[in-house]
């Protein structure tokens, strides 16, 4: 059995020691300021908590062991409650290595092992040496490939997944034997290298709402300075004053406060955009994607360095993403989903190509999935009428809100907000024009979205469920939406691929076609892999 790096004991001791120290200090502070009680006896718990925390961290280090066996990756941990895990290699989806700035200086790394069944990390080695991290990842990759070879037809040269590894414009290494691939000891073949120009273009054409936490943190840190409020910093009030904002928040009228809110929203958006660009550069600096045997390998990051592997046979679906700015300059991104990771799940290995020329990305996606350039079918024109009604209702709500504000403030030109009705027809058209789907022989391709257009390619044998959804308005129009789910980890911002607002009969036909082609694909894979699969389609 192997242990973590000795410096891990120091890190755990400091981490748990700080926790044991801070809890009594917090209780002392609450007792003296809020409860107004004598907290003298609690002060004695401060050194006790510190010592107990340090002792727990050291004990956790000595109780944590791991081992790479022939069939499983074993991890044992826990001080008071012992936990032992045996992770079969066939369930391993991704093996990632991450290094913060301090870890890179001292030569340490964190190894994260993801399995099918969710985005949570199944096992984490925090910390091991860089050489040990590479050894663990290489061994798991080698044994995962060997497991895949045992499930494949011995007379077939195809991998167990029946998926092809993409070719690119870059030179490729000579073909290797099955033994070479299973060993995983050959140097990776470079597939994609994110250039500085592409990285900067990616930063300025993308917007991450998660970066909004940074300007909010600035507001909390700087709040209260000569602004009349402990929540709003002075520079926010000063920026709104030339546009009719209040001189101070105390006793301010509704009209100036509305101006302040509008100016603050603009400032917040600009700060978020800049924070998003900085995050993108730091997160994807030095991005490289390669191929090693039947795995994709990647590395990226400026301050926090990430590297990992994505088994090709674990890929659930592939999605090409484009926002309006990226479409304007002819660029797009490519995201790969496995049963352990989904886009924006925070795992780190989901982006195969952050940003590249649009034709190159689509060619890469075609080589990866085997799906040819799709000829999309659009929903019926009745769907566009539905979007006209939907956006007209939104515009009416905006005008009604403006009218209501005019009744309680000095804002008397509420009728100017009726200009939003001019945006209703183009909004409905753009919503409709960016919808499409293709029911292919081996893949289902779904496109949707204007601000974030996504084109997802899903092999039939990766489909888990297909659900027909009908709202009240869709039932009145005879329409339905078809949601296609795979085993990847979805997030709130990135839901299941959905074919929106098609005829109910068409939805039923696609559902039946998907059922038949899923069963055909599974029977073919069962014959190839001799696994005896029998899976129902829901």
């Amino acid at each position: 059995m192997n242990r973590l790096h000795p410096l891990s004991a120091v890190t755990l001791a400091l981490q748990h020691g700080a926790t044991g120290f801070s809890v009594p200090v917090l209780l002392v502070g609450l007792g003296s300021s809020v409860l107004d009680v004598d907290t003298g006896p609690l002060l004695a718990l401060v050194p006790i908590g510190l010592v107990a925390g340090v002792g727990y961290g050291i004990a956790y280090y000595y109780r944590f062991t791991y081992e790479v066996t022939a069939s499983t990756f074993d991890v044992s941990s826990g001080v008071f409650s012992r936990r032992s895990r045996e992770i079969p290699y066939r369930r391993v989806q991704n093996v990632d290595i991450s290094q913060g700035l301090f870890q890179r200086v001292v030569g340490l790394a964190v190894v994260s092992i993801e399995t099918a069944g969710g985005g949570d990390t199944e096992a984490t080695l925090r910390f091991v040496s860089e050489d040990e991290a590479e050894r663990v990842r290489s061994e798991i990759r080698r044994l995962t490939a060997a497991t895949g070879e045992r499930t494949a037809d011995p007379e077939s040269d195809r991998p167990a997944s029946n998926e092809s590894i993409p070719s690119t414009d870059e030179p490729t290494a000579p073909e290797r034997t099955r033994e070479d691939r299973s060993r995983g000891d050959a140097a990776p073949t470079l597939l994609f290298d994110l250039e500085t120009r592409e990285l900067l273009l990616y930063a300025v054409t993308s917007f991450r709402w998660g970066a909004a936490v940074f300007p909010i943190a600035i507001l909390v840190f700087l709040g209260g300075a000569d602004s009349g409020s402990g929540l709003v910093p002075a520079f926010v009030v000063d920026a709104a004053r030339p546009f009719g904002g209040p001189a101070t928040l105390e006793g301010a009228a509704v009209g100036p406060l509305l101006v302040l809110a509008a100016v603050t929203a603009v400032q917040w958006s600009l700060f978020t955009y800049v924070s998003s660009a900085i995050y993108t550069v730091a997160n994807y600096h030095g991005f490289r994607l390669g191929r090693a045997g039947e795995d994709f390998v990647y590395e990226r990051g400026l301050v926090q360095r990430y590297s990992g592997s994505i088994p090709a046979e674990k890929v659930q679906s592939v999605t090409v993403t484009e926002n309006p700015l990226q479409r304007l300059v002819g660029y797009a991104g490519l995201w790969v989903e496995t049963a352990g990771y989904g886009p924006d799940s925070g795992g780190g290995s989901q982006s195969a190509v952050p940003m590249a020329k649009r034709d190159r990305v689509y060619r890469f996606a075609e080589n990866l999935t085997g799906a040819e350039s799709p000829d999309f079918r659009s929903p019926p024109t009745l769907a566009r009428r539905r979007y006209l009604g939907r956006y007209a209702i939104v515009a009416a709500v905006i005008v009604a809100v403006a009218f209501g504000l005019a009744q309680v403030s000095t804002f008397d030109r509420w009728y100017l907000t009726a200009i939003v009705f001019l945006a209703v027809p183009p909004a409905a058209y753009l919503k409709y024009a960016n919808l499409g789907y293709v029911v292919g022989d081996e893949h289902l391709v779904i496109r949707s979205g204007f601000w974030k257009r996504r084109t997802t390619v899903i092999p039939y044998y990766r489909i888990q469920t297909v659900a027909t959804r009908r709202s009240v308005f869709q039932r009145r129009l005879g329409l339905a939406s078809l949601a296609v789910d795979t085993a990847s980890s979805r997030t709130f911002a990135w839901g299941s691929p959905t074919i929106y607002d098609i005829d109910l009969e068409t939805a039923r036909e696609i559902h039946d076609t998907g059922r038949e082609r899923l069963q055909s694909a599974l029977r073919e894979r069962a014959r190839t892999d001799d696994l005896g699969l029998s899976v129902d389609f829901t």
Side-chain angles (χ1 to χ4, degrees):
M1 300 293 284
N2 303 289
R3 294 191 185 279
L4 302 175
H5 194 278
L7 284 178
S8 181
V10 178
T11 303
L12 289 169
L14 293 175
Q15 176 183 343
H16 291 285
T19 302
F21 174 83
S22 60
V23 170
V25 170
L26 179 61
L27 292 176
V28 169
L30 290 176
S32 60
S33 61
V34 178
L35 302 179
D36 193 21
V37 297
D38 182 18
T39 58
L42 292 177
L43 292 175
L45 296 178
V46 174
I48 296 176
L50 175 61
V51 173
V54 170
Y56 181 87
I58 295 175
Y60 187 90
Y61 166 77
Y62 280 105
R63 299 278 285 174
F64 189 102
T65 57
Y66 66 93
E67 184 177 10
V68 181
T69 69
S71 57
T72 60
F73 182 80
D74 300 342
V75 179
S76 297
S77 62
V79 177
F80 302 110
S81 178
R82 195 72 173 159
R83 181 186 182 191
S84 298
R85 284 159 290 172
E86 296 181 354
I87 306 173
Y89 296 121
R90 66 178 180 273
R91 293 187 63 241
V92 174
Q93 301 292 317
N94 312 79
V95 181
D96 297 337
I97 298 176
S98 61
Q99 293 177 283
L101 185 59
F102 174 75
Q103 287 98 46
R104 290 164 65 182
V105 172
V106 298
L108 298 180
V110 178
V111 180
S112 301
I113 300 173
E114 307 287 339
T115 61
D120 294 336
T121 302
E122 183 70 19
T124 302
L125 307 183
R126 187 186 310 267
F127 302 88
V128 295
S129 66
E130 292 178 339
D131 292 339
E132 175 66 5
E134 289 294 341
R135 184 193 72 83
V136 170
R137 180 168 62 181
S138 298
E139 283 294 297
I140 292 178
R141 282 181 47 217
R142 179 182 67 83
L143 293 168
T144 301
T147 302
E149 295 294 343
R150 288 195 295 270
T151 61
D153 187 344
E155 298 180 358
S156 174
D157 288 332
R158 291 176 297 180
S161 64
N162 288 342
E163 294 177 7
S164 59
I165 300 297
S167 60
T168 61
D169 297 335
E170 290 82 2
T172 58
E175 289 295 323
R176 289 169 290 194
T177 63
R178 180 178 295 238
E179 291 76 17
D180 292 334
R181 292 197 303 268
S182 65
R183 284 197 306 267
D185 53 2
T189 301
L190 181 65
L191 298 177
F192 179 80
D193 188 4
L194 188 64
E195 300 175 354
T196 301
R197 176 178 175 274
E198 293 172 327
L199 175 61
L200 296 177
L201 195 60
Y202 184 40
V204 301
T205 59
S206 59
F207 188 87
R208 302 175 185 275
W209 288 105
V213 67
F214 296 107
I216 292 175
I218 293 175
L219 286 177
V220 173
F221 182 75
L222 298 178
D226 300 327
S227 63
S229 173
L231 299 177
V232 181
F235 73 88
V236 174
V237 179
D238 294 339
R241 191 175 298 125
F243 302 95
T248 179
L249 296 184
E250 186 176 355
V254 175
L257 287 177
L258 292 176
V259 173
L260 174 62
V263 173
T264 302
V266 173
Q267 287 181 303
W268 174 81
S269 300
L270 290 176
F271 277 118
T272 301
Y273 176 76
V274 173
S275 301
S276 172
I278 295 174
Y279 171 84
T280 300
V281 171
N283 205 35
Y284 286 97
H285 178 271
F287 183 95
R288 293 164 62 89
L289 178 70
R291 184 186 75 198
E294 302 302 332
D295 293 352
F296 296 105
V297 293
Y298 75 94
E299 58 181 26
R300 63 176 175 85
L302 181 61
V303 179
Q304 183 83 7
R305 193 69 180 167
Y306 298 94
S307 62
S309 60
I310 311 172
E313 67 177 18
K314 307 293 187 180
V315 173
Q316 299 289 313
S317 62
V318 173
T319 300
V320 177
T321 61
E322 310 161 85
N323 62 35
L325 286 177
Q326 292 168 350
R327 292 199 295 271
L328 183 64
V329 297
Y331 278 75
L334 182 70
W335 299 75
V336 172
E337 302 173 55
T338 70
Y341 279 137
D344 295 337
S345 65
S349 69
Q350 64 270 22
S351 178
V353 177
M355 191 170 181
K357 284 287 189 180
R358 187 172 182 270
D359 56 348
R360 187 184 178 196
V361 168
Y362 271 93
R363 185 166 62 252
F364 191 93
E366 291 171 12
N367 291 332
L368 177 61
T369 62
E372 299 181 354
S373 298
D375 184 14
F376 288 103
R377 295 174 57 185
S378 298
T381 54
L382 191 63
R384 186 161 52 187
R385 193 178 99 190
R386 179 176 180 236
Y387 303 144
L388 280 170
R390 175 192 298 176
Y391 295 134
I393 293 174
V394 173
V397 169
I398 293 175
V399 174
V401 170
F403 176 77
L405 290 175
Q407 307 307 308
V408 297
S409 68
T410 58
F411 178 65
D412 57 354
R413 297 185 179 181
W414 60 269
Y415 50 85
L416 294 179
T417 58
I419 196 173
V420 296
F421 281 100
L422 297 178
V424 170
Y429 170 78
L430 292 174
K431 170 73 174 179
Y432 175 83
N434 285 280
L435 295 177
Y437 63 95
V438 176
V439 183
D441 294 331
E442 298 180 356
H443 303 82
L444 186 64
V445 186
I446 302 174
R447 184 183 69 187
S448 64
F450 169 72
W451 296 109
K452 190 73 169 183
R453 189 166 71 185
R454 295 167 179 157
T455 304
T456 303
V457 182
I458 308 172
Y460 285 114
Y461 66 87
R462 293 299 191 189
I463 295 176
Q464 299 288 313
T465 59
V466 175
T468 301
R469 302 172 180 173
R470 304 185 70 198
S471 68
V472 175
F473 301 103
Q474 285 177 313
R475 288 198 293 269
R476 289 176 59 88
L477 298 175
L479 302 177
S481 295
L482 212 61
V484 182
D485 212 357
T486 64
S488 65
S489 302
R490 297 285 172 176
T491 64
F492 175 78
W494 194 299
S496 299
T498 302
I499 305 175
Y500 290 102
D501 295 314
I502 55 178
D503 290 324
L504 179 59
E505 290 302 319
T506 303
R508 289 171 176 169
E509 291 175 4
I510 296 175
H511 191 281
D512 293 339
T513 301
R515 180 197 300 270
E516 296 171 0
R517 294 182 181 175
L518 169 63
Q519 295 294 340
S520 299
L522 290 176
R523 284 193 296 269
E524 177 63 27
R525 288 174 61 80
R527 284 194 297 269
T528 302
D529 299 341
D530 194 25
L531 295 177
L533 293 176
S534 179
V535 181
D536 192 17
F537 184 90
T538 58

